[in-house]
Amino acid sequence: LRISLSPDPPEKGKNVTITASGNLNKEITGGTIKVVAKYGIITVLDQSYDVCDLVQQIGMQCPIPKGPISGSASAEVPSEVPPGTYHADVEGTDQDGKPLVCLKAECKL
């Protein structure tokens, strides 16, 4: 899985685009993505998402066929976000409970 941000690093009060690409070794018909984001020791996000709901936001739909995959999404970074280092852990499982993605990221604002 390859992930890129634009701009990198993100800027407060502006949009950031996250682009991801990779290769699926089987068809995905469902699953869960859990995201935990922290600012220092403070958890600012702890949320689970349905894989099929997430991919709809980038113009795809389930089932996701085996093979290459890519997509991007944009969001505004609120100007009220405190400056500092943010850490994110993303873990996903497919419809069979098998690992789909595991990502640890750090972002400085």
Side-chain angles (χ1 to χ4, degrees):
L1 180 67
R2 298 174 75 118
I3 303 279
S4 65
L5 299 176
S6 179
D8 186 8
E11 299 174 27
K12 295 192 305 183
K14 296 187 178 179
N15 280 349
V16 61
T17 299
I18 302 168
T19 302
S21 62
N23 194 51
L24 296 174
N25 59 11
K26 71 176 184 179
E27 181 180 77
I28 303 300
T29 59
T32 303
I33 302 287
K34 180 169 176 65
V35 179
V36 177
K38 293 186 176 189
Y39 175 68
I41 62 169
I42 301 168
T43 299
V44 294
L45 178 68
D46 186 348
Q47 185 73 40
S48 291
Y49 302 92
D50 179 85
V51 168
C52 294
D53 290 344
L54 282 179
V55 299
Q56 283 182 339
Q57 295 177 20
I58 59 170
M60 300 175 70
Q61 61 184 6
C62 284
I64 308 165
K66 176 181 176 179
I69 183 172
S70 65
S72 63
S74 295
E76 182 180 352
V77 178
S79 56
E80 303 83 20
V81 170
T85 302
Y86 292 79
H87 297 272
D89 292 323
V90 180
E91 294 183 3
T93 55
D94 66 15
Q95 64 273 6
D96 301 318
K98 303 281 185 188
L100 184 58
V101 64
C102 181
L103 173 71
K104 293 189 179 289
E106 178 181 284
C107 179
K108 293 183 181 181
L109 293 175

